[in-house]
Amino acid sequence: MQRSVDFSRWYQDIVLQAELADYSPVKGCMVIRPEGYAIWEKMQQHLNVRIRAAGAKNAYFPLFIPESFLQKEAEHVEGFAPECAVVTEAGGKHLEEKLIVRPTSETIINSMMAKWIQSYRDLPFAINQWANVVRWEMRTRLFLRTTEFLWQEGHTCHATADDARAMTLRMLFSYRDFAEEVLAMPVIVGQKTDSERFAGADKTYCIEAMMQDGKALQAGTSHDLGQHFSQAFGTMFLDRDGQKKHVFQTSWGVSTRLIGGLIMTHADDQGMVLPPKVAAEPIVIVPILGKVGNERVLEACQQVAAQLGSFGIEVRIDADETKQAGWKFAEAELHGVPLRIDIGARDLDRGSVTLVRRDTREKLQMELSQVVSESRRLLGVMQADMLACARARLETLTFAGAPETFAQHIEQGFVRGAWCGAVACEASLKEQLKATIRCLPIDDAGNVKYVDGACVHCGTQSTGKSVEAIFARSY
Amino acid sequence: MQRSVDFSRWYQDIVLQAELADYSPVKGCMVIRPEGYAIWEKMQQHLNVRIRAAGAKNAYFPLFIPESFLQKEAEHVEGFAPECAVVTEAGGKHLEEKLIVRPTSETIINSMMAKWIQSYRDLPFAINQWANVVRWEMRTRLFLRTTEFLWQEGHTCHATADDARAMTLRMLFSYRDFAEEVLAMPVIVGQKTDSERFAGADKTYCIEAMMQDGKALQAGTSHDLGQHFSQAFGTMFLDRDGQKKHVFQTSWGVSTRLIGGLIMTHADDQGMVLPPKVAAEPIVIVPILGKVGNERVLEACQQVAAQLGSFGIEVRIDADETKQAGWKFAEAELHGVPLRIDIGARDLDRGSVTLVRRDTREKLQMELSQVVSESRRLLGVMQADMLACARARLETLTFAGAPETFAQHIEQGFVRGAWCGAVACEASLKEQLKATIRCLPIDDAGNVKYVDGACVHCGTQSTGKSVEAIFARSY
């Protein structure tokens, strides 16, 4: 598995060999295997904390959306209709109205919110759903592009446009925090251009991560929906002033494609590398078994595991006697277990054991009595180091844009520079260089940055009308 | 809301007024609201522990099943085809092969297991999926009968028929334990008759609970699948003897209908009653606010909440100043919060506060210093009392069967008695009395009980060929 030779093949090999996912016999659909699903469950735990903190509660809405619902918001149906899977028969009969397998749930959720929300006292209203969604794809890329994927979608209603905008940004920055603190995946936050906007949104914001090959991965989106859906579905509230008004809405989501992002950010030629916070078992202990003293060794392993367990750290002891230690080391590397502890009889005699960090593959000798405290410390260090390492790459491979170097830099990573704002320029970027504007970076208040100078792609000069953009090829 | 007047209407009122679920605009589909979904999340936590303990890991398989897969097992397709929702168009095109929205996943999972399992070393193989499934229904009953519902489905493979049978029973008894210990819902474990067997199973086992109106609710099933699916999909392993053999399989599941069971087991005329173990917030503290001393009261509430929190008990303080205490009491009752603690200025002066149990509606006065330890103790007592109360009802309303009293007793509850085993008798039972054989009770080894005497329904005499059965009307 060599990243440098064939990145795309390397990625697929990691996914299949580390048993994170597999191709299914259903076109475009994947199977998420236990190793991959465990990562998703860890992500869910961390995200649920953030979602609850934002005031949203989990709920569940129907998988099927009547075709007429999708059609109520003109841009929305135009954007999603080409990707829809459609149920036309059920219970042995032809359906009078076709049912769309949800590609996203703004419409069906609005039909309920219109009923539940009456007054300003019901606002803000925030709900989140963990669900499967379907967007038809012919070319499958495990985790990154599949017909069916798992995600969470949050939906909120507010009394004012300002409140909706604040919520949109709150969740966007919450996603950034999650990506960086939990996934150790640094991201750029920004606004999408109109052509990349969610179908039915006023504005779409995103977090964009850089993969090891310099390409971008959209890792999460947050939409300021304005009143598009509340007008289409009559989602209204009686305001303090006695007037009935349409609510302002947001929606936001991240999906199982984050697992693909995790792989392309951290994995190496030996296999997966998991940040400690998303590893179901952050530590594996390998007892080095020999002809004598195995009982002592296993007992020491169990003691260390029990002590780590008392700190809430899940530890697996790989005591399978039919396998050699070398095979176990390779397995732990392939599956990306953050920290490995090797304990053998000779180590116990010498009073020292070996720790191996997965991220740097560094070996550390230490006294047995230090193993627990050092392991706990190292998990924290690795989490921080992995973020720092990925951030350094993001910085190194983000180039200041200039028309003369643009084509060259876009082959290597991100280009940050002025964009004229013309739709034609954006279209030619795609056609000529297979690149897109990933986002228009925003500050903490959510504002894009207007800049002087020539558009880095088309060279158009402008004064203060160009906007700073991130250009890149993407997944 | 009066159970005694109209049980069915009472049930619907509880679901809607306690905001557990709502009707959706999609025929047959429900919306699970946050209050209901929180119960499901609690159930998931408890079930995941049991599923992991049985050696199964969570994974995720495609929503869509090619029509040809369903057809590979003859009984399976016959059983499920009439309930299927079918995707015939996708991505703007007519599909060459129809896709079935999964009604259950034996077929798609077998197509993967056939690839993953090679040798006896790969066995037992156990996997579990949390997912939505679709079985077309025209008449909706919230939680109990809906086109789409949420469930977990476990799927295992074994080298021998004995191993598969042992696993089938292990999960069945694990479900019984879960229903009784967590949901406080006593169940009868038994085997389904052939006519009620899962389409494609050798044997289906179930747990059956009794609702407050004396009707039965099937609360979970565990299937011994034999080699039906492994033969259809070629799921084989190389055994120790060098022979390739088809694996023996099991599957087992429980669904969101358990929430309906919970309501019909415990709720009363005042609303929902939650067993402490499935309550997201087992305790609500209501500060009794007056003209003076409110600061002191709120401080005392926060102290109690903090102390309970340190024991891992989630507590909500209902400090909303725009609502009267009486309104808050009614809300807590409606939503079934197990324990309520009222703290007012006068209570603090007297040094005593009031605890109110939701199950018995009993009020208990105690010193402030005792509140935390008493609350913890009471949650345990309530969990046990609720089970005991439901068990007493199950026992009282289970009648010893006799032909002369059968029709009368089937109106009131369960009848336990001899069944001749004839398919025609079972059919006439349904037609004449709208009742079914819920199960043939089994012992710990999984064996049904052969009995002497006349069939309680048709009166046929037999010696040792009749089997003990539970007869009832059901949901």
Side-chain angles (χ1 to χ4, degrees):
Chain A
M1 291 189 287
Q2 283 191 277
R3 280 166 292 182
S4 55
V5 175
D6 184 343
F7 194 82
S8 164
R9 174 68 193 273
W10 164 83
Y11 173 78
Q12 184 187 276
D13 285 352
I14 298 265
V15 173
L16 296 177
Q17 290 174 29
E19 300 186 346
L20 297 166
D22 204 345
Y23 293 99
S24 88
V26 188
K27 214 177 245 176
C29 291
M30 73 187 291
V31 173
I32 305 180
R33 300 188 72 175
E35 295 264 323
Y37 200 80
I39 297 173
W40 184 236
E41 287 181 318
K42 275 281 171 185
M43 290 183 182
Q44 289 184 301
Q45 283 170 24
H46 288 284
L47 284 163
N48 264 329
V49 172
R50 287 164 169 81
I51 289 166
R52 267 197 302 270
K57 290 178 176 174
N58 291 339
Y60 188 77
F61 295 85
L63 170 68
F64 298 131
I65 297 176
E67 192 179 32
S68 59
F69 279 33
L70 213 62
Q71 290 164 343
K72 285 192 185 188
E73 212 290 324
E75 252 193 37
H76 193 63
V77 66
E78 202 190 314
F80 283 104
E83 302 178 1
C84 285
V86 188
V87 174
T88 60
E89 305 169 7
K93 288 181 184 163
H94 191 80
L95 293 176
E96 279 181 33
E97 178 171 10
K98 291 177 181 177
L99 294 175
I100 310 298
V101 182
R102 66 180 160 224
T104 179
S105 303
E106 277 75 9
T107 56
I108 188 83
I109 294 182
N110 257 282
S111 76
M112 300 308 297
M113 293 195 295
K115 179 178 166 187
W116 295 334
I117 294 171
Q118 304 294 333
S119 124
Y120 67 90
R121 286 188 206 87
D122 300 323
L123 301 177
F125 180 92
I127 213 151
N128 178 66
Q129 166 169 276
W130 291 96
N132 52 344
V133 284
V134 169
R135 299 177 185 177
W136 206 253
E137 285 283 352
M138 295 313 287
R139 293 186 306 155
T140 307
R141 256 189 122 155
L142 296 169
F143 290 120
L144 302 173
R145 191 186 293 116
T146 50
T147 286
E148 183 191 16
F149 56 89
L150 304 183
W151 78 346
Q152 61 69 217
E153 48 178 323
H155 298 267
T156 72
C157 299
H158 307 267
T160 67
D162 281 352
D163 287 353
R165 178 179 163 80
M167 185 69 180
T168 309
L169 293 174
R170 179 190 170 135
M171 286 314 300
L172 181 72
F173 290 120
S174 185
Y175 285 154
R176 173 177 68 184
D177 178 70
F178 166 74
E180 299 188 342
E181 297 305 314
V182 178
L183 309 183
M185 186 170 82
V187 294
I188 293 174
V189 293
Q191 184 181 321
K192 284 283 180 195
T193 64
D194 282 351
S195 74
E196 302 275 336
R197 208 172 7 91
F198 174 78
D202 267 359
K203 280 179 182 167
T204 287
Y205 299 88
C206 62
I207 54 172
E208 295 281 328
M210 180 191 281
M211 304 295 100
Q212 290 183 60
D213 62 351
K215 283 197 197 170
L217 182 83
Q218 179 178 299
T221 49
S222 187
H223 313 295
D224 188 343
L225 301 174
Q227 296 178 310
H228 293 227
F229 292 95
S230 63
Q231 280 170 357
F233 285 86
T235 312
M236 302 180 79
F237 71 106
L238 194 67
D239 205 352
R240 284 186 170 82
D241 60 12
Q243 302 289 310
K244 278 201 93 175
K245 299 173 185 172
H246 289 100
V247 299
F248 293 84
Q249 300 183 311
T250 81
S251 67
W252 25 272
V254 299
S255 76
T256 38
R257 92 187 311 233
L258 282 176
I259 301 173
L262 205 61
I263 298 165
M264 291 195 291
T265 301
H266 301 300
D268 63 20
D269 292 352
Q270 280 69 42
M272 186 59 184
V273 182
L274 281 168
K277 285 188 187 174
V278 286
E281 292 167 337
I283 298 180
V284 62
I285 302 180
V286 179
I288 312 296
L289 302 173
K291 287 181 183 161
V292 290
N294 288 347
E295 258 181 46
R296 242 172 88 219
V297 168
L298 288 169
E299 204 177 296
C301 292
Q302 274 149 14
Q303 272 179 15
V304 171
Q307 287 175 50
L308 287 165
S310 72
F311 290 107
I313 302 171
E314 296 271 343
V315 178
R316 191 167 58 86
I317 301 177
D318 191 352
D320 185 346
E321 290 179 23
T322 69
K323 300 285 199 315
Q324 297 294 317
W327 188 89
K328 294 175 185 177
F329 297 164
E331 273 295 290
E333 286 209 318
L334 176 60
H335 294 286
V337 185
L339 199 60
R340 195 181 86 216
I341 304 175
D342 302 339
I343 303 180
R346 249 185 300 174
D347 298 323
L348 292 180
D349 291 338
R350 278 200 310 255
S352 90
V353 298
T354 307
L355 263 63
V356 187
R357 284 173 63 154
R358 177 63 185 90
D359 61 336
T360 57
R361 305 182 76 208
E362 192 181 350
K363 287 187 180 183
L364 302 144
Q365 302 287 335
M366 63 194 62
E367 285 180 29
L368 186 60
S369 63
Q370 292 183 304
V371 163
V372 172
S373 61
E374 265 304 285
S375 297
R376 294 176 60 207
R377 194 185 65 83
L378 277 172
L379 291 177
V381 168
M382 290 168 66
Q383 184 77 36
D385 284 358
M386 288 176 74
L387 175 61
C389 170
R391 198 186 293 285
R393 181 170 53 233
L394 173 61
E395 283 166 9
T396 307
L397 294 183
T398 299
F399 303 94
E404 53 280 14
T405 53
F406 186 70
Q408 172 204 336
H409 284 153
I410 211 81
E411 302 263 349
Q412 299 169 263
F414 290 8
V415 177
R416 183 189 285 262
W419 173 51
C420 60
V423 174
C425 167
E426 201 180 358
S428 88
L429 178 68
K430 211 165 197 166
E431 209 184 292
Q432 290 171 22
L433 295 173
K434 290 175 187 155
T436 47
I437 295 169
R438 301 312 306 157
C439 68
L440 314 177
I442 56 171
D443 59 22
D444 288 351
N447 298 316
V448 301
K449 192 176 161 191
Y450 291 93
V451 289
D452 290 338
C455 172
V456 298
H457 174 50
C458 69
T460 303
Q461 283 287 348
S462 83
T463 308
K465 281 191 177 168
S466 288
V467 66
E468 188 186 61
I470 298 288
F471 302 81
R473 288 181 181 157
S474 74
Y475 284 96
Chain B
M1 292 187 287
Q2 283 190 277
R3 277 166 294 181
S4 54
V5 175
D6 184 343
F7 193 82
S8 164
R9 173 67 192 274
W10 163 83
Y11 173 77
Q12 184 188 275
D13 285 354
I14 297 264
V15 174
L16 296 177
Q17 289 174 30
E19 300 186 346
L20 297 166
D22 205 345
Y23 293 99
S24 88
V26 188
K27 214 176 246 176
C29 291
M30 72 187 292
V31 173
I32 305 180
R33 300 186 73 175
E35 294 263 325
Y37 200 80
I39 296 174
W40 183 236
E41 286 180 319
K42 275 280 171 189
M43 289 184 182
Q44 289 184 302
Q45 283 170 24
H46 288 283
L47 284 163
N48 264 329
V49 172
R50 287 164 170 81
I51 289 165
R52 265 198 303 271
K57 290 179 174 174
N58 290 339
Y60 188 76
F61 294 85
L63 170 68
F64 298 130
I65 297 177
E67 193 179 32
S68 58
F69 279 34
L70 214 62
Q71 291 165 341
K72 285 194 185 189
E73 212 291 325
E75 254 194 34
H76 193 64
V77 67
E78 202 190 314
F80 283 104
E83 302 178 0
C84 284
V86 188
V87 174
T88 60
E89 304 170 9
K93 287 182 184 163
H94 191 80
L95 292 178
E96 279 180 32
E97 178 170 11
K98 292 176 181 178
L99 294 175
I100 311 297
V101 183
R102 66 179 159 223
T104 181
S105 303
E106 278 75 8
T107 56
I108 189 84
I109 293 182
N110 257 283
S111 77
M112 300 309 296
M113 293 195 295
K115 179 176 165 187
W116 295 334
I117 293 171
Q118 305 293 333
S119 126
Y120 66 90
R121 286 189 206 89
D122 299 324
L123 302 176
F125 180 91
I127 213 152
N128 178 66
Q129 165 168 276
W130 290 96
N132 52 345
V133 284
V134 168
R135 298 176 187 178
W136 205 253
E137 285 283 352
M138 294 313 285
R139 293 185 307 155
T140 306
R141 258 192 120 153
L142 296 169
F143 290 119
L144 302 174
R145 191 186 293 116
T146 50
T147 285
E148 183 191 15
F149 55 88
L150 304 184
W151 79 347
Q152 62 66 217
E153 50 179 320
H155 298 265
T156 71
C157 299
H158 307 268
T160 68
D162 281 353
D163 287 353
R165 178 178 163 82
M167 186 68 181
T168 309
L169 293 173
R170 177 189 172 137
M171 286 314 300
L172 181 72
F173 290 121
S174 185
Y175 284 155
R176 173 177 69 183
D177 178 71
F178 166 74
E180 300 190 340
E181 297 304 314
V182 178
L183 309 183
M185 186 170 84
V187 294
I188 293 174
V189 293
Q191 183 182 320
K192 284 284 180 195
T193 64
D194 282 352
S195 74
E196 301 276 335
R197 208 172 7 91
F198 175 79
D202 267 357
K203 282 180 181 165
T204 287
Y205 299 89
C206 61
I207 55 172
E208 294 282 328
M210 180 191 280
M211 305 295 100
Q212 291 182 60
D213 61 353
K215 283 197 198 168
L217 182 82
Q218 177 179 300
T221 49
S222 187
H223 314 295
D224 188 342
L225 300 174
Q227 295 177 311
H228 293 228
F229 291 95
S230 63
Q231 278 170 359
F233 285 86
T235 311
M236 302 180 79
F237 71 105
L238 194 67
D239 205 352
R240 284 187 170 80
D241 61 10
Q243 302 289 308
K244 278 200 93 175
K245 299 173 185 174
H246 289 100
V247 298
F248 293 84
Q249 301 184 309
T250 81
S251 67
W252 25 272
V254 298
S255 77
T256 38
R257 93 186 311 231
L258 282 176
I259 301 173
L262 205 62
I263 298 165
M264 291 196 291
T265 301
H266 301 299
D268 63 20
D269 292 352
Q270 281 69 45
M272 186 58 184
V273 182
L274 280 169
K277 285 190 186 173
V278 286
E281 290 167 339
I283 299 179
V284 61
I285 302 179
V286 180
I288 312 296
L289 303 173
K291 286 182 182 156
V292 290
N294 289 347
E295 258 181 48
R296 241 173 87 220
V297 168
L298 288 169
E299 205 176 296
C301 293
Q302 273 148 15
Q303 271 178 15
V304 171
Q307 286 175 52
L308 287 164
S310 72
F311 291 107
I313 301 171
E314 295 271 342
V315 178
R316 192 166 58 85
I317 301 176
D318 191 353
D320 185 346
E321 288 179 24
T322 68
K323 301 286 197 319
Q324 299 293 316
W327 187 90
K328 293 176 186 176
F329 297 163
E331 274 295 289
E333 286 208 319
L334 175 61
H335 294 285
V337 185
L339 199 61
R340 195 182 86 218
I341 304 173
D342 302 340
I343 303 179
R346 250 185 299 174
D347 299 323
L348 292 179
D349 291 339
R350 279 200 309 255
S352 90
V353 299
T354 308
L355 262 63
V356 188
R357 283 174 64 154
R358 177 63 185 90
D359 60 337
T360 58
R361 305 183 76 208
E362 192 182 351
K363 285 188 181 181
L364 302 144
Q365 302 288 334
M366 64 194 60
E367 285 181 29
L368 185 61
S369 62
Q370 294 182 303
V371 163
V372 172
S373 61
E374 266 303 286
S375 298
R376 291 177 62 208
R377 194 185 65 82
L378 277 172
L379 292 178
V381 168
M382 292 170 65
Q383 184 77 37
D385 285 358
M386 288 176 74
L387 175 60
C389 171
R391 199 188 292 283
R393 183 169 53 232
L394 173 61
E395 283 165 10
T396 307
L397 295 183
T398 299
F399 304 94
E404 54 278 14
T405 54
F406 187 71
Q408 172 203 334
H409 284 153
I410 211 82
E411 302 264 349
Q412 299 169 264
F414 289 8
V415 177
R416 183 189 285 261
W419 173 52
C420 60
V423 174
C425 169
E426 201 180 358
S428 89
L429 177 70
K430 210 166 196 167
E431 209 184 294
Q432 291 172 20
L433 296 173
K434 289 176 188 155
T436 46
I437 295 168
R438 300 313 305 157
C439 67
L440 314 177
I442 56 171
D443 59 21
D444 287 352
N447 298 315
V448 301
K449 192 175 162 190
Y450 291 93
V451 290
D452 289 338
C455 173
V456 299
H457 175 50
C458 69
T460 303
Q461 283 288 348
S462 84
T463 307
K465 281 192 178 168
S466 288
V467 66
E468 189 186 60
I470 297 288
F471 302 82
R473 289 183 181 155
S474 74
Y475 285 95

